[in-house]
Amino acid sequence: MDIHCQPGGYHTELRNEDVTAGAIYDRAVYIYAMGRMGALNDDMGASVVAYLKKKYQGFRPAKILDMGCSVGHSTLPYVDAYPEAEVHAIDVAAPMLRYAHARAEALGKRVHFSQQNAESTNFRDESFDLIVSHILLHETSAKAVRNIMRECHRLLRKGAMAIHAEVPQYAGMDPYDAFMLDWDTYNNNEPFWGYLHDMDLQQLAVESGFDGVAVVQTMVPSAFEQAKARTRLLQGGDFAGAGQWFLYVVAK
Ligand SMILES: C[S@@+](CC[C@H](N)C(=O)[O-])C[C@H]1O[C@@H](n2cnc3c(N)ncnc32)[C@H](O)[C@@H]1O
């Protein structure tokens, strides 16, 4: 599947040590969001960090994993927020990771990038205090999303949590907004987008081994000041930087 209608998707390598897909993604996200994710496109990571700092003030994760990191836009805010933490970031696409590594180094941030499938990683059981993802889940599949949730459960220490930032679920949403958001399912080569946003996430968490009582599904305000003014405006299909993000939080 050429995700986002990009020929070859993000994993294709046209030459040795290719970074093309990463370079395209970096600029394309800025254009797609019309700059409303900030100069470094880091609004999602920064918004999750703001949620954590507010809700879990004493939280000091020693080891953090970002799944489906792409070029690391959302990864870097965790490096700044938790300077003592060992931050890992994985993606299946090598060109994205090469670019991500160069970008992080250029910005002076230390991240351990590795090419791995979030459905089945080589990390040890119960080795992370925090797992995050940002608009990863809708780019997978019904089978993969279950594997990823089970992998989160395996990798988290007891009492630790996973936070998946996403475009909001359709349940309870204005039907016009849901219809407009669904545009990507049919026109942007994102076949799982609509299916995920209709899924029962509570049930998914329980099936993956998490405590159903601890599941949180919430909207959080954008950390990017200029985007905050847009809160509640979904703007039909163009959610990025619309002023708020949907968080799916599960705890072990
Ligand atoms: C929309 S991008 C994620 C954006 C990124 N998290 C951010 O906040 O900037 C989705 C990424 O997920 C990666 N991906 C898709 N399925 C994956 C999987 N099973 N394991 C790891 N990465 C995956 C893709 O290669 C792509 O880079």
Side-chain angles (χ1 to χ4, degrees):
M1 173 61 67
D2 286 349
I3 197 88
H4 299 165
C5 300
Q6 176 164 318
Y10 294 123
H11 59 282
T12 298
E13 298 179 69
L14 303 173
R15 58 184 66 78
N16 256 356
E17 304 296 319
D18 200 0
V19 296
T20 311
I24 292 172
Y25 189 79
D26 196 14
R27 290 301 86 203
V29 167
Y30 191 84
I31 294 165
Y32 177 80
M34 294 186 278
R36 294 194 304 260
M37 303 242 297
L40 293 175
N41 296 317
D42 57 358
D43 185 50
M44 277 184 290
S47 301
V48 175
V49 164
Y51 168 81
L52 283 168
K53 292 279 182 187
K54 190 170 169 199
K55 209 161 159 39
Y56 303 93
Q57 282 167 12
F59 184 48
R60 299 271 181 282
K63 220 168 150 188
I64 301 173
L65 172 63
D66 183 13
M67 292 177 152
C69 63
S70 284
V71 298
H73 288 156
S74 303
T75 316
L76 301 193
Y78 298 93
V79 178
D80 291 333
Y82 302 107
E84 307 297 319
E86 187 178 304
V87 179
H88 289 256
I90 60 171
D91 201 286
V92 279
M96 305 295 268
L97 290 163
R98 285 189 198 105
Y99 188 93
H101 181 222
R103 180 178 178 274
E105 289 289 312
L107 292 168
K109 317 285 178 191
R110 186 173 171 76
V111 178
H112 302 274
F113 290 100
S114 57
Q115 186 180 17
Q116 299 206 52
N117 184 347
E119 294 179 61
S120 172
T121 69
N122 66 9
F123 299 113
R124 286 201 312 274
D125 289 0
E126 310 203 338
S127 50
F128 288 95
D129 304 294
L130 175 66
I131 298 177
V132 291
S133 82
H134 314 80
I135 55 171
L136 162 72
L137 299 186
H138 78 255
E139 301 212 351
T140 62
S141 67
K143 185 176 159 202
V145 80
R146 290 183 168 88
N147 290 339
I148 289 171
M149 288 300 290
R150 274 196 292 269
E151 184 67 355
C152 286
H153 189 268
R154 182 182 77 77
L155 294 176
L156 286 173
R157 295 196 174 111
K158 290 211 169 53
M161 70 185 128
I163 304 182
H164 301 284
E166 259 297 337
V167 177
Q169 294 298 97
Y170 292 161
M173 185 184 288
D174 180 281
Y176 177 76
D177 280 333
F179 169 75
M180 293 303 280
L181 278 178
D182 220 24
W183 186 92
D184 287 79
T185 307
Y186 300 100
N187 301 296
N188 199 23
N189 261 3
E190 303 226 48
F192 188 51
W193 173 297
Y195 187 96
L196 175 78
H197 295 122
D198 271 334
M199 264 178 105
D200 182 340
L201 297 183
Q202 178 82 17
Q203 192 187 335
L204 174 64
V206 173
E207 282 170 7
S208 313
F210 291 98
D211 180 357
V213 182
V215 176
V216 174
Q217 299 183 52
T218 186
M219 298 298 293
V220 296
S222 174
F224 184 47
E225 285 301 322
Q226 282 148 284
K228 264 188 198 152
R230 310 187 80 94
T231 298
R232 302 180 74 82
L233 275 180
L234 295 192
Q235 304 170 348
D238 167 27
F239 194 77
Q244 50 186 348
W245 293 104
F246 172 75
L247 302 190
Y248 173 35
V249 186
V250 291
K252 183 164 172 182

